[in-house]
Amino acid sequence: MTEPTASPSYVVIGNPIAHSKSPQIHALFAAQFAGNPALAGFCYDRLLAPVDGFAASVAQFAASGGRGANVTVPFKEDAFRLANLLTARAQAAGAVNTLQLQADDSWLGDNTDGAGLVADVLRHVEIRGRRILLLGAGGAARGVILPLLAQQPASLTLANRTLSRASQLVEHFQANTTILLQACEYGAIAGQFDLIINATSASLGGERLPISNSVFAPGALAYDMMYGKDETPFLAQAREAGVVLRVDGLGMLVGQAAEAFHLWTELRPDVEPVLVWMREQL
Ligand code: ATR
């Protein structure tokens, strides 16, 4: 008689999911703690869920021994609704990218995207006291606002093609912070910024954003949540504006995974070698 195949303890759930790099990232994290009893039986796989079948897939996963999951497109809002308990940063994000099974079989929903971004930015520059320009007002932008504000920047300006979406986010987050928040359209961005973050999906279509080169302060860091083998349109735009410090979102991807790994295992992996390896694979 053959043994039943052990179900993976952790998965990344999405649709599509075949392209996800999370299994490689988590395998590399786990390898850093080889022999650690906290990781006994740790395994991580991909799980393709039907677009209308997220909750059922999660239930099935839990029944087969699943302990935690990363959640990606298009299920982050489904995971937000499914979670019985939410961390403050998931609540603020309105989306969940990490689920952890609790002792009573309920799900804790967390969002580690913003922490991943902050950790990666901090590898390059300070955030405290800096002027931040966040480009975009969709889910990706919303997900990073609370962790950015927690770093005590001087100000946070949200610029978006559709002004009303940026204004809504400002209204939502200004209620709980004394840090100056502002919303504007791309053509109305006033002043200079030390940290300019692209959270739009414009790069996906190869498009540039209609922002002035003057928004980049001397010594500014331009950060694109997107990444790829080639320079992203936003980072090309920043380079042409004379910005020296330019970083793409690969470190954010590894950083959010490290935060999820820590939630599940209480271990803090070293992101640096994993990032180097991931860069080589692009
Ligand atoms: P996500 O979850 O990736 O943030 P989203 O909620 O659909 O996705 O938000 C996409 C963001 O990219 C929005 O800020 C969107 O601007 P609008 O709110 O005006 O739609 C922005 N975006 C997408 N394509 C863009 C483009 N070609 N130029 C400028 N902004 C763009």
Side-chain angles (χ1 to χ4, degrees):
M1 213 172 92
T2 53
E3 287 288 310
T5 312
S7 296
S9 303
Y10 298 89
V11 287
V12 55
I13 309 178
N15 189 333
I17 201 60
H19 66 286
S20 173
K21 297 179 171 72
S22 292
Q24 287 107 303
I25 296 173
H26 284 278
L28 290 168
F29 287 162
Q32 293 179 9
F33 303 98
N36 188 317
L39 285 183
F42 182 91
C43 47
Y44 189 109
D45 209 345
R46 296 182 181 86
L47 179 59
L48 177 71
V51 174
D52 59 354
F54 177 75
S57 295
V58 171
Q60 198 177 7
F61 169 61
S64 65
R67 302 285 307 282
N70 282 133
V71 181
T72 187
V73 179
F75 298 127
K76 290 185 183 184
E77 283 82 18
D78 293 86
F80 180 84
R81 286 188 290 272
L82 179 117
N84 312 81
L85 189 65
L86 293 163
T87 62
R89 57 195 187 181
Q91 187 85 58
V96 158
N97 81 332
T98 305
L99 289 166
Q100 184 190 38
L101 194 66
Q102 305 297 288
D104 64 356
D105 285 343
S106 64
W107 289 104
L108 171 70
D110 194 6
N111 192 312
T112 65
D113 286 331
L117 168 78
V118 165
D120 198 36
V121 169
L122 289 175
R123 292 170 64 243
H124 302 276
V125 295
E126 282 291 308
I127 300 176
R128 177 179 289 270
R130 303 294 164 92
R131 298 159 293 180
I132 305 177
L133 174 61
L134 184 58
L135 305 167
R142 180 174 171 177
V144 301
I145 293 175
L146 190 70
L148 282 172
L149 290 174
Q151 294 295 312
Q152 297 292 319
S155 62
L156 177 59
T157 299
L158 272 83
N160 197 42
R161 182 175 59 183
T162 311
L163 176 62
S164 59
R165 291 184 87 187
S167 301
Q168 277 166 19
L169 285 182
V170 164
E171 200 178 318
H172 180 79
F173 284 95
Q174 189 71 84
N176 293 306
T177 183
T178 54
I179 295 165
L180 179 66
L181 300 186
Q182 283 174 304
C184 59
E185 286 171 335
Y186 294 126
I189 302 172
Q192 292 201 310
F193 300 87
D194 310 297
L195 175 56
I196 302 91
I197 302 168
N198 177 30
T200 73
S201 46
S203 289
L204 285 178
E207 280 186 60
R208 292 191 172 202
L209 296 170
I211 57 171
S212 161
N213 286 351
S214 64
V215 303
F216 300 99
L221 173 76
Y223 195 101
D224 198 343
M225 289 195 193
M226 298 277 162
Y227 64 87
K229 189 174 175 55
D230 300 320
E231 183 182 48
T232 67
F234 173 68
L235 293 183
Q237 192 171 354
R239 177 173 45 74
E240 288 165 20
V243 178
V244 176
L245 285 172
R246 305 181 306 272
V247 182
D248 74 10
L250 193 63
M252 177 178 172
L253 175 73
V254 179
Q256 63 77 27
E259 283 286 326
F261 188 86
H262 178 253
L263 177 75
W264 297 327
T265 66
E266 294 179 5
L267 298 170
R268 285 240 173 248
D270 183 2
V271 299
E272 189 68 37
V274 180
L275 188 48
V276 169
W277 188 87
M278 295 290 294
R279 181 75 62 197
E280 285 167 1
Q281 310 305 309
L282 286 178

